[in-house]
Amino acid sequence: MSESTRTARTARAVAEELLDRTLDGAPAGIGGRPEWTVGGAGPVGIDAGDERAVQAACGVMEVHGRATGAPAPLAVDYVSTVTGVLAAQGATAALLARARGRGPLRVGTSLAQGALLTVTQYLAAATAAARDDEPLPPGSGTGLATLVTAEGVRVEVETLDPTAWAGFWRRLGVTPRAAGRGWLPFQSRFGTAVCPLPDELRAAVRAQPLEAVRQAGAVHGVSVVEVGETTLPPRLAPWSIETVAPARVPAVQVPGGGTAGPGAPLAGMRVVESARRVQGPMAGHVLRMLGADVVRVEPPGGDPQRALPPVAGGCSVRFSALNHGKSVVEVDLTTRQGRDAVGELVAGADVFLHNWAPGKARELLLDAGALHALNPRLVYASASGFGTALGPVPPIGTDYLAQVHGGLAAALRPAGEAPAPSLMTVTDVLGGLVLAQAVLAGLLARERTRRGCRARSSLLSAAALVPRPGRRVEPAPLDLPLATADGLLQLGAEARLRPRDVARTVGAAGIDAVGERLKACATDVWLAELRAAGLPSVAVRTDLAGLAADPAFARAVLPPDADLPYARPAVPWTFTEETA
């Protein structure tokens, strides 16, 4: 099976799996699955089923490769998986619109649109009209956060608390000054995709056995997780839904008798979101793009991430990229007045979603039981790092530890390269998309039961969706980005299957000489030659800012404007009214 065929099947298989799960409790009488497609060349201009070429053309390779110094592919069908989730979301939203009085909708998306959505925050940062990035401290020449102990064991450490960070390093003999210099790049890695830690920190871990590093973490509340050739854990359900409210409630029609336009299948629905970082806000972002009214609940003074650089137009562009278009209510959830304010919002809402730490909802008296008592038709959705899969006291539930436990830290890197999580937030983005699909599944189930429900998902359950080979393999010489006179070129799937034809087209003496021969001319020259020979290939995107100016992406990427001074992906679905 060619890579093009395999990745196209991955997207379709993921979409079908999620739709099967979604429609298991769907209401009768709304008809079968809407017509949906994953395809079309999109802005890439080549086979839309070519995972590696789309990663190259849309900037995924650039972001993933930052930490190691050059664009590099994710060695799994990550973009195909994301796109499969998008297809399921579009199809489910179309079914919801039909159940609420709309006519049938035909849905479309593409691998390129899925790829662009995964780099939303990085694209915003690269194109901010006025940037004030803080310079990162000098590091040891590596941008990865993975550390190596005295026995050669590779570990990831995680904490969101600067006090815990300082105590951990103090116990390992690091000076407060060196530990302080490491905090900014460590916390910034979620947005920058690099982590140039000071040499002193890496040296301190190299001087200690694994058990000493673990003890330091245990004393100060820092998660320390070994990174190895982790295999995929037992198959996890992407989400769970429980109908919990006993009161039956009437169906809700789209305001105005279903007059919303075809681009807004969730028009008239309200989502209340109390979430931070990426996973929860991404879910709200998706639901807003589908037409829902999303209200963010933030602490007094606003979410602290609004101040994270780069800032443009008075707000962090990375924060704005996932939260623009949402209205905001500032409340103190630790007070009775704040909880009452949330209750008032929830009483008239369709969805409440959060990604609070385990136990936080009960502590705040805002758990599912409390909010269903106020609104029995509510879809109460919560996201976590690990759910219950790792026991009652899991590690800190962040992207990179989810990659380790989900087997992605090894699988997304080829054989011969040491396992390490990608500093691109692969599970945060995918986890947010899976949470949004869980919400849509809950809304559709509500059409059948006329009852509210509780939906749960996790970063780990999202990671489990990504297919991976049984063993890591070495890439062939022509599989990776190839240097030209002025950039990098990625051969398309068809070209990679015909290496001798590639060698003949570029005038190389043999397959092994292709790389050297490509350095003789510019990328555009070789692209023209290869395409003329029926060997489609793409330029590897090394500057995300160029996406906003590239005519090929004119419909897929929205340029900076007066309201949003940064570029962002366009809505990743098309909804077309089906005609008789």
Side-chain angles (χ1 to χ4, degrees):
M1 181 189 303
S2 73
E3 179 179 343
S4 175
T5 301
R6 189 194 75 241
T7 56
R9 286 186 178 179
T10 295
R12 178 163 289 278
V14 168
E16 291 288 356
E17 176 185 345
L18 298 188
L19 281 171
D20 283 345
R21 185 173 186 84
T22 298
L23 296 177
D24 185 49
I30 62 170
R33 302 176 188 224
E35 183 179 335
W36 58 274
T37 59
V38 174
V44 179
I46 63 170
D47 183 354
D50 187 346
E51 166 88 25
R52 190 155 295 202
V54 175
Q55 285 190 27
C58 297
V60 174
M61 285 189 184
E62 191 277 323
V63 177
H64 170 57
R66 285 179 187 176
T68 51
L74 294 164
V76 293
D77 289 342
Y78 175 67
V79 172
S80 302
T81 303
V82 166
T83 307
V85 181
L86 287 177
Q89 290 170 346
T92 308
L95 285 173
L96 273 168
R98 187 188 304 175
R100 299 166 67 224
R102 285 277 298 277
L105 295 175
R106 185 180 297 114
V107 182
T109 190
S110 73
L111 226 62
Q113 289 168 305
L116 291 169
L117 188 65
T118 70
V119 298
T120 296
Q121 293 186 91
Y122 309 102
L123 176 61
T127 56
R131 300 183 59 177
D132 58 355
D133 302 65
E134 292 291 334
L136 292 174
S140 60
T142 177
L144 286 171
T146 307
L147 304 169
V148 182
T149 69
E151 307 97 327
V153 177
R154 299 170 66 79
V155 296
E156 288 289 317
V157 302
E158 185 65 280
T159 179
L160 304 177
D161 181 355
T163 302
W165 172 266
F168 171 78
W169 290 110
R170 184 172 61 250
R171 190 175 180 88
L172 294 180
V174 174
T175 66
R177 182 178 179 84
R181 286 194 294 114
W183 177 247
L184 177 60
F186 182 74
Q187 281 302 292
S188 297
R189 74 198 195 283
F190 288 94
T192 62
V194 295
C195 187
L197 292 175
D199 289 330
E200 296 96 320
L201 275 60
R202 297 186 184 278
V205 173
R206 283 198 302 271
Q208 298 288 340
L210 173 62
E211 187 55 34
V213 178
R214 282 179 168 160
Q215 287 180 359
V219 168
H220 294 283
V222 174
S223 292
V224 178
V225 178
E226 184 175 345
V227 183
E229 297 286 346
T230 311
T231 57
L232 185 67
R235 186 65 165 169
L236 299 173
W239 66 79
S240 64
I241 292 178
E242 303 169 20
T243 301
V244 295
R248 295 178 63 85
V249 296
V252 178
Q253 296 295 316
V254 176
T259 59
L266 298 192
M269 288 191 166
R270 170 162 289 194
V271 175
V272 178
E273 168 197 310
S274 181
R276 293 187 60 185
R277 303 183 81 89
V278 176
Q279 181 188 24
M282 173 60 82
H285 181 57
V286 166
L287 297 171
R288 185 196 63 78
M289 289 192 292
L290 286 168
D293 172 29
V294 180
V295 181
R296 271 186 63 78
V297 176
E298 298 187 11
D303 191 315
Q305 292 198 326
R306 289 179 176 273
L308 294 179
V311 172
C315 183
S316 166
V317 297
R318 293 191 181 100
F319 176 90
S320 181
L322 297 182
N323 293 294
H324 69 269
K326 302 174 184 177
S327 55
V328 178
V329 176
E330 295 183 11
V331 300
D332 183 351
L333 295 178
T334 66
T335 67
R336 175 65 179 273
Q337 183 180 9
R339 292 191 291 271
D340 287 346
V342 171
E344 290 178 9
L345 290 172
V346 166
D350 296 278
V351 177
F352 178 75
L353 71 85
H354 70 77
N355 63 340
W356 297 331
K360 190 69 173 179
R362 184 180 296 271
E363 176 186 327
L364 293 173
L365 305 178
L366 294 173
D367 56 3
L371 295 190
H372 278 122
L374 299 173
N375 180 355
R377 62 184 296 273
L378 186 71
V379 174
Y380 184 104
S382 61
S384 64
F386 302 103
T388 60
L390 300 185
V393 187
I396 298 172
T398 62
D399 187 295
Y400 308 124
L401 297 194
Q403 288 188 49
V404 174
H405 283 285
L408 288 179
L412 57 77
R413 298 187 185 276
E417 188 175 327
S422 173
L423 291 188
M424 179 177 172
T425 52
V426 295
T427 64
D428 263 340
V429 170
L430 184 55
L433 296 176
V434 170
L435 175 59
Q437 180 61 22
V439 168
L440 294 169
L443 289 169
L444 195 61
R446 188 181 69 177
E447 293 295 327
R448 176 177 62 86
T449 65
R450 299 290 185 260
R451 296 180 179 182
C453 62
R454 171 158 193 182
R456 295 182 179 93
S457 70
S458 70
L459 296 178
L460 192 64
S461 68
L465 277 178
V466 182
R468 68 283 311 264
R471 62 182 180 85
R472 296 196 294 158
V473 297
E474 285 278 3
L478 301 188
D479 285 344
L480 299 174
L482 301 167
T484 65
D486 64 347
L488 293 168
L489 178 150
Q490 174 65 54
L491 295 173
E494 180 66 21
R496 298 195 297 276
L497 290 172
R498 297 162 55 191
R500 296 185 185 281
D501 291 340
V502 170
R504 184 164 47 252
T505 300
V506 303
I511 297 170
D512 293 339
V514 169
E516 284 303 312
R517 177 60 186 154
L518 285 173
K519 295 175 183 177
C521 295
T523 304
D524 285 347
V525 173
W526 290 127
L527 290 178
E529 293 283 343
L530 289 164
R531 288 170 181 166
L535 302 166
S537 304
V538 297
V540 177
R541 179 69 58 181
T542 56
D543 177 14
L544 288 184
L547 286 168
D550 188 337
F553 288 83
R555 289 191 296 177
V557 176
L558 304 177
D561 56 39
D563 294 325
L564 298 173
Y566 54 83
R568 61 273 182 203
V571 172
W573 313 272
T574 58
F575 293 97
T576 308
E577 299 278 5
E578 291 186 14
T579 57

